[in-house]
Amino acid sequence: MKITFYGQNTLALKIGEINVLVDPFITGNDLAKDKVDINDLKADYILLTHAHQDHTLDAEAIAKNTGAIIVSNFEIVNHYEAKGFEVHPMNHGGSWDFEFGNVKYVNAIHTSSFPDGSYGGQPGGFVIEGEHKNVYIAGDTALTMDMKLIPMQTKLDLAVLPIGDNFTMGVNDAIVASDFIQCDKILGCHYDTFGYIEIDHEEAKRKFYEKGKDLMLLEIGESIEL
Ligand code: NI
Ligand code: MN
């Protein structure tokens, strides 16, 4: 499994021959918009954790370009289905075997309105089991005890956790989250994009390191192989 970071919570997962894009937000991200052309992005599926603009802004344009199937909670999927997009509805606690692997939509503590204020259901995260690698993409969330449920069923190889604080967990809570999910290999996301969530990279990495954990912070467009 190859994972590429495109800023904020935007991730491209290449699982076998299938391209899975998560939370596309590029044209509105000053850190990413000059580095990434959304017309170059491949997607067979677009997974959306919640409806906020910094997770969904480019979903329509990319789905139009690629014909990707949009996967999210029932309310978000209804929003896109009404616009003529191909969709797969899920809801919390549910999982589905897609052609690239199993996806479970798990709890997140956050909110989920569309930019116009319309209802975007309840926010979530994804546990993706594909190509013998298991990844947890937390989405925007507070630290929550529900995270302890994940390792009861899935041994994670990587977790993508928000670390920017203010709107989500910050570094200290993300360290506790990594204990809860029993995964010491963390890819940080949801930091630096706006003033409220700017972080000190070296301090964040050091804090994880001191707990025996590995925090990876990728450049925009940088990839890792699992
Ligand atoms: Ni959000
Ligand atoms: Mn967000």
Side-chain angles (χ1 to χ4, degrees), residues 49-188:
T49 59
H50 65 295
H52 285 161
Q53 188 172 44
D54 61 313
H55 299 256
T56 58
L57 181 66
D58 296 317
E60 279 193 38
I62 296 168
K64 250 180 218 139
N65 281 347
T66 59
I69 297 168
I70 296 173
V71 180
S72 190
N73 71 34
F74 183 73
E75 288 79 8
I76 290 174
V77 150
N78 275 352
H79 169 95
Y80 289 106
E81 191 173 33
K83 295 182 173 200
F85 293 101
E86 249 200 280
V87 298
H88 180 108
M90 299 188 76
N91 223 324
H92 299 88
S95 60
W96 183 262
D97 282 323
F98 291 89
E99 59 186 314
F100 56 88
N102 187 272
V103 175
K104 187 169 189 177
Y105 192 61
V106 296
N107 293 350
I109 305 278
H110 192 67
T111 55
S112 178
S113 48
F114 282 100
D116 67 359
S118 63
Y119 182 52
Q122 298 294 314
F126 295 103
V127 176
I128 301 170
E129 301 185 354
E131 242 186 355
H132 313 294
K133 296 290 176 186
N134 302 328
V135 178
Y136 170 45
I137 298 169
D140 286 6
T141 184
L143 177 64
T144 163
M145 297 295 273
D146 288 343
M147 290 168 176
K148 291 189 174 187
L149 296 170
I150 293 169
M152 294 171 73
Q153 288 170 319
T154 305
K155 183 163 178 16
L156 295 171
D157 296 289
L158 178 78
V160 185
L161 301 180
I163 55 170
D165 218 337
N166 192 73
F167 298 114
T168 67
M169 295 188 286
V171 169
N172 294 339
D173 281 1
I175 288 169
V176 179
S178 85
D179 285 336
F180 284 3
I181 59 178
Q182 295 175 23
C183 179
D184 291 336
K185 194 171 176 186
I186 305 298
L187 175 60

